[in-house]
Amino acid sequence: MTPRKRLDRLIGVAHAIALSLMLGAGAAAAAEKVGEVSLAIGVTRVVGERGNHTAARGLTVQVGDRIETERGGHVHVRFVDGAYVSVRPGSRLFVEAYRYDPAKPQENAVRFRLEAGVVRAISGELAEKARDRFRLNTPIAAIGVRGTDFVVLAEQDRVRVTVRSGAIVLAPLGEGCAASALGPCTTAAARTLSADMGQVMLEFQPQQGAPRVVPINGVPSPDRVNPPAPGEPRAGESSTQTASEATAEVLAARAVSGQAQPLPSAPAPLPAPTLVWGRWISEAWTGDAISQPYADARPGNQVTVGNTYYVLFRPESSLPSLVSNLGRVDFTLRDAQVHLLRGGIPELGRVDNAWLSVDFAARQFATAVAMSHPQAGSATLNASGSVRDNGVFVVRDADGRVAGALTLDGKEAGYFFERIVPAGTFIGITRWGR
């Protein structure tokens, strides 16, 4: 190590120690309110020293809390300086530091850690006046802001960021960019993304070396992978919307004949499925709540696609081919499951998020599945390609494959997926409706 690098490292260590001492000096302050839940939908939690609490409107958020959402879950938090954060489905956000004193901006500090999932963050008073005191870390990269409204997708091996207003700086974590620091990193690999750059986003994977700018049209953005719930401010709106105003907006969005309806904890039920998953083995894997034995699933149905473990059946149809007059349809996930197969033994995993879009006129589909397992971590499978006239689609690459089918009337879809990871292979099935 050169003397210069040794000096830089010592300075970085000293900075981290000073920051830790500063934040730790207010141990009593760590238990104080730094934010409040303004909206909670679905299965959500706030986990911290107080225990495990279901997220609910009005619940206090403190330093050290971890905000967790399951599939279909959303949590919005308004912080003491007016900052706004939306934690979308299948996400985990840790509030590592939040110190705000308008009279002492030099002592202010905000640091989040997005362990997995998608978060939207709108800067508050602190980040607006002291941009070098804000940081959002992901497992592999750090984000600093320049007065910003941004959305970030974090996985173990990929980060994607879009900016709605202002600008952000994305840099790989490592030498010169410590997770314990604050503000934007200024390493050679750091890249800036601003809203005036147009329909592009920053994407970083470790093998790239540095983030790269990619068009949103060609790669699903965080908003596409994990859409917002009603109640998120629209692009360009002020971040000073109060908790009661945010809730009122959601209720208004669900008003029927002028009468506001209660916030739902799950999407409206879909029609009963006609697609059936059969399995080749008689005994289901642990946690399998979707498939049936092959002999039970087959009567009255036709085989579409299958692999070593599952086969997808659909009922016979009088239609000669897949309909083409529906345009582009974004399907709703009906049910899904995934297992990690390692050493020939299946272990139940979790589908954290998924989306499916089909362009019936162009005969094209695009989809993504985010999955996780305690030993294998998180992974995502992205796939896109052609849909045949018989409604079947199959895509394979070095990381895995997706194969499925649509009902010919375009009302349902289902596919199996396989994603290879260092710990084994994720194998799962999905069903979709509209």
Side-chain angles (χ1 to χ4, degrees), residues 63-281:
V63 171
D65 283 346
R66 185 174 68 252
I67 302 166
E68 300 180 348
T69 57
E70 298 289 345
R71 189 173 67 202
H74 294 258
V75 174
H76 297 177
V77 179
R78 180 70 58 190
F79 287 90
V80 290
D81 66 327
Y84 167 93
V85 170
S86 166
V87 184
R88 295 184 182 168
S91 303
R92 299 188 300 277
L93 179 71
F94 187 62
V95 183
E96 291 189 330
Y98 216 106
R99 183 185 180 94
Y100 175 62
D101 184 346
K104 300 178 181 178
Q106 71 280 4
E107 296 183 6
N108 291 340
V110 173
R111 188 170 63 234
F112 296 115
R113 184 173 76 247
L114 179 56
E115 297 174 340
V118 172
V119 156
R120 179 183 176 193
I122 302 178
S123 298
E125 188 76 11
L126 187 156
E128 292 289 347
K129 293 186 176 179
R131 298 172 183 175
D132 62 340
R133 309 296 292 169
F134 175 95
R135 169 70 70 83
L136 187 150
N137 291 320
T138 72
I140 59 174
I143 298 173
V145 301
R146 295 177 178 173
T148 309
D149 176 355
F150 68 97
V151 187
V152 56
L153 163 68
E155 301 169 346
Q156 292 300 314
D157 58 356
R158 175 164 43 204
V159 173
R160 289 176 180 162
V161 188
T162 58
V163 176
R164 298 189 175 195
S165 65
I168 61 97
V169 177
L170 179 67
L173 289 172
E175 187 170 356
C177 185
S180 58
L182 294 172
C185 291
T186 58
T187 59
R191 298 290 183 270
T192 299
L193 178 70
S194 63
D196 58 14
M197 291 171 67
Q199 294 297 304
V200 296
M201 63 182 170
L202 279 176
E203 180 183 63
F204 173 66
Q205 295 176 282
Q207 63 268 28
Q208 296 171 195
R212 60 173 183 164
V213 176
V214 297
I216 290 178
N217 288 340
V219 179
S221 68
D223 278 322
R224 175 104 179 259
V225 172
N226 207 325
E232 279 198 21
R234 290 178 288 273
E237 285 187 339
S238 170
S239 66
T240 59
Q241 183 188 40
T242 66
S244 60
E245 289 170 341
T247 304
E249 182 177 326
V250 178
L251 292 173
R254 286 166 165 76
V256 178
S257 302
Q259 299 298 316
Q261 303 298 308
L263 292 173
S265 59
L270 294 167
T274 63
L275 291 175
V276 180
W277 279 105
R279 61 176 181 268
W280 297 111
I281 59 175

